[in-house]
């Protein structure tokens, strides 16, 4: 079944990557699965549904974004700190991460774009953002529809 999204795109599991990238474009779940896979079991406390536990596997969000060529000076650590990553779910739920948060030289959070959840492939519904270590499940965004990378100062252009 094809599902419509807030961005008007069909739900074929492909995720558009856009923004401050040298090679923007949609990334398929198959492409995500061809990258080095990480596995993680996460436990989080949801305000409404209580204690949740899931097993995920997929590539690091950082590696997916690096492959799309973020427009920063790779040799200059501080330059990456200007970048934000906005992840949108098909239902309109959105969370924003900073590049510094997922960069190994800084926060080193091993955020995944999971292609498998609890032994279930996510090809049709689309990948999930997984942020290990979060106490609340709010940033485990299911059915990711779009990822945007934003540089510089998005609040006061
Ligand atoms: N797309 C999307 N993903 C989402 C949410 C949402 O509203 N939309 N809610 C989050 C919250 S608050 C929680 S606690 C977890 C719950 O996931 P689960 O029911 O699969 O354990 O999903 C997260 N992922
Ligand atoms: Mo939640």
């Amino acid at each position: 079944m094809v599902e419509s999204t807030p961005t008007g795109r069909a739900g074929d599991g492909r995720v558009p990557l856009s923004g401050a990238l040298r090679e923007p474009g949609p990334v398929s779940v198959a492409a995500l699965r061809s990258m080095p896979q990480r596995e993680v079991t996460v436990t989080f406390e949801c305000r409404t549904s209580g204690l949740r536990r899931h097993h995920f596997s997929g590539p690091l969000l950082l590696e997916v974004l690096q492959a799309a060529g973020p427009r920063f000076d790779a040799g200059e650590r501080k330059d990456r700190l200007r970048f934000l990553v906005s992840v949108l779910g098909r239902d309109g739920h959105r969370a924003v991460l900073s590049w510094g948060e997922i960069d190994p030289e800084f926060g080193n959070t091993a955020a995944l774009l999971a292609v498998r959840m609890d032994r279930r492939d996510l090809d049709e519904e689309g990948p999930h953002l997984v942020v290990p270590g979060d106490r609340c499940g709010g940033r485990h965004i299911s059915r990711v529809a779009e990822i945007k990378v934003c540089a510089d100062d998005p609040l006061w252009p």
Side-chain angles (χ1 to χ4, degrees), residues 44 46 49 52 54 89-91 93 117 136-138 140-142:
F44 53 85
C46 175
S49 53
R52 317 288 291 159
H54 296 290
R90 287 187 198 174
D91 59 353
H93 177 49
M117 173 181 183
C136 166
H140 292 278
I141 299 184
S142 60

Side-chain angles (χ1 to χ4, degrees), residues 113-143:
L113 260 188
V115 293
R116 200 168 160 79
M117 173 181 183
D118 301 333
R119 326 255 166 242
R120 179 164 57 89
D121 288 330
L122 300 174
D123 294 62
E124 275 154 44
E125 65 177 86
H128 286 209
L129 174 69
V130 178
V131 187
D134 274 13
R135 292 183 62 190
C136 166
R139 295 201 293 182
H140 292 278
I141 299 184
S142 60
R143 297 167 168 256

Side-chain angles (χ1 to χ4, degrees), residues 24-75:
V27 61
S28 67
V29 174
L32 296 174
R33 193 169 278 122
S34 73
M35 300 178 68
Q37 303 289 290
R38 302 291 185 100
E39 281 189 52
V40 66
T41 298
V42 295
T43 305
F44 53 85
E45 179 83 37
C46 175
R47 193 168 56 85
T48 49
S49 53
L51 198 64
R52 317 288 291 159
R53 185 181 171 87
H54 296 290
H55 180 266
F56 290 100
S57 59
L60 287 174
L61 173 65
L62 181 87
E63 291 183 359
V64 175
L65 297 175
Q66 278 170 335
R71 291 184 175 280
F72 50 54
D73 178 352

